[in-house]
Amino acid sequence: MRVTIKDVSREAGVSIKTVSRVLNNEKYVGAATRAKVAEVVARLNFRPNVAARSLAGRRSFQIALICDNPSPYYVYEMQSGIRDRCEAAGVRMIAQPYDRGSDRLLDEIESLVEATQIDGLILTPPVTDHPAVLELLARRGVPFVRVSPGMQVDLSPSTFIDNRAAAATMTRHLLGLGHRRIGFIAGDPGFATSAQRTEGYLDALRAAGIAIDTHLIRSGNYDFASGAREAEVLLALPAPPTAIFAASDDMAAGVLTVAHRLGRSVPSDLSVAGFDDTALARYVWPPLTTIRQPTREMAHAAADLLLSEAGGAPERREIAHELVVRESTGVARR
């Protein structure tokens, strides 16, 4: 038989109204009571009837993720983090891919809002900084949380890592291994994170007194193909880099492929570093030294901000990054 809210109420020893308040993440419920109800909900595997809750509370109990990213690993981690938080609240997640270059982008998002009556949106780069999308949502009164915004950071709640500091950390790691000619493959210029990571790379070089060589800086698209393409250019230079830092693991994987094809031993001849610490970083050979961007945690926090009732100024949650050293980087040859 299907478990009902009455079953949860009886088992937890609280009123049906209290159970409803916990499920709807409303205020006026003590932490101990909230934890007790959550434990019973999980133990009984209670699944609220979304349609009934919608009629009763004029909410759809659905939120949507708007995502356009070339890395399937990033997309998976983002969806997983949001889904984990939504399941705990009895809310459904709708994952909506989009094409940022489409002239129907605004129409598609507005149609999504109208068709589903979603309670809110989570925006990921680069739409997180799309002025027309932000204006549309504000005009429609749709709550939204942004992941890694690069402009108007106080406009809405957001989650992020310090991309600039993270890139500087990786560059310092390579400098510490004796590398002085460090190639850098930036990400898609449409993403604010690309400029932030480039600045971090430059910060570390300047702090070490290393002259900036623009020939060592290339622009990719955060995907495997562009990483391979730009690695070809860098390794064909008269004085090629002894290390290449790519602003995503997907691009770093492209660098590794080119290095292997050209007979460059990694890391003996060339150190390679990435950014994100997706599953791909552990699948390639040698495994990638990279910056761990805790995408799932960022997504979970974004969903929490959207589902939590909070007053005052929009909250910005910074999630800590981490340098993960693996076999793809080593001491520079003298």
Side-chain angles (χ1 to χ4, degrees):
M1 295 179 61
R2 179 183 176 87
V3 176
T4 69
I5 194 171
K6 290 182 180 179
D7 298 321
V8 175
S9 169
R10 182 174 58 254
E11 186 74 12
V14 300
S15 68
I16 291 176
K17 180 63 176 177
T18 297
V19 176
S20 178
R21 283 175 173 164
V22 172
L23 293 174
N24 295 335
N25 202 34
E26 296 178 5
K27 300 177 181 178
Y28 316 119
V29 180
T33 301
R34 190 179 296 275
K36 185 176 183 181
V37 172
E39 185 275 327
V40 172
V41 166
R43 176 157 48 83
L44 298 183
N45 195 29
F46 174 61
R47 292 291 180 266
N49 186 308
V50 173
R53 293 168 70 197
S54 300
L55 289 172
R58 294 186 180 181
R59 291 176 55 193
S60 70
F61 294 94
Q62 300 180 111
I63 66 171
L65 165 67
I66 303 295
C67 196
D68 177 20
N69 191 288
S71 171
Y73 301 98
Y74 177 91
V75 175
Y76 173 78
E77 290 294 308
M78 185 62 59
Q79 291 179 349
S80 297
I82 295 171
R83 187 169 55 248
D84 288 347
R85 179 61 180 86
C86 285
E87 285 184 351
V91 173
R92 179 182 293 116
M93 179 197 73
I94 301 172
Q96 180 68 40
Y98 79 98
D99 178 3
R100 67 191 124 135
S102 170
D103 56 7
R104 288 186 45 77
L105 172 61
L106 294 180
D107 291 337
E108 290 170 356
I109 292 178
E110 190 154 26
S111 294
L112 172 68
V113 171
E114 291 179 350
T116 62
Q117 296 297 306
I118 51 174
D119 296 327
L121 282 164
I122 294 175
L123 309 177
T124 61
V127 77
T128 196
D129 288 318
H130 197 299
V133 171
L134 301 180
E135 189 280 329
L136 167 65
L137 297 178
R139 174 167 49 82
R140 295 292 302 258
V142 179
F144 61 92
V145 173
R146 296 185 291 162
V147 177
S148 301
M151 56 180 284
Q152 296 180 280
V153 294
D154 295 323
L155 177 67
S156 70
S158 61
T159 63
F160 65 99
I161 67 166
D162 190 334
N163 282 280
R164 185 169 182 168
T169 296
M170 178 59 78
T171 308
R172 286 195 298 270
H173 168 69
L174 295 171
L175 289 167
L177 292 172
H179 297 282
R180 293 299 178 265
R181 288 186 60 76
I182 302 173
F184 182 73
I185 304 178
D188 188 325
F191 289 66
T193 54
S194 179
Q196 293 163 0
R197 293 173 191 180
T198 302
E199 285 303 312
Y201 160 79
L202 295 173
D203 288 343
L205 292 183
R206 294 187 185 110
I210 305 295
I212 306 302
D213 184 347
T214 57
H215 294 96
L216 293 176
I217 304 173
R218 306 294 302 177
S219 183
N221 296 315
Y222 280 139
D223 60 4
F224 177 94
S226 63
R229 180 189 69 227
E230 300 308 329
E232 295 270 10
V233 175
L234 289 170
L235 295 177
L237 290 172
T242 61
I244 296 178
F245 172 20
S248 78
D249 291 341
D250 289 75
M251 293 195 298
V255 175
L256 283 175
T257 296
V258 171
H260 293 326
R261 183 171 55 79
L262 295 177
R264 308 287 179 91
S265 176
V266 178
S268 298
D269 299 327
L270 176 71
S271 284
V272 179
F275 198 113
D276 288 328
D277 196 28
T278 61
L280 179 63
R282 299 182 293 277
Y283 295 158
V284 295
W285 183 261
L288 274 173
T289 291
T290 188
I291 291 291
R292 180 173 184 267
Q293 174 175 232
T295 305
R296 187 177 294 221
E297 290 91 328
M298 291 170 65
H300 190 282
D304 187 60
L305 287 170
L306 190 59
L307 296 172
S308 300
E309 295 183 10
E315 181 181 349
R316 301 190 69 223
R317 290 191 193 175
E318 180 176 354
I319 311 299
H321 62 269
E322 178 187 357
L323 172 65
V324 180
V325 179
R326 297 193 180 99
E327 292 92 329
S328 69
T329 55
V331 176
R333 280 190 169 181
R334 298 296 180 182

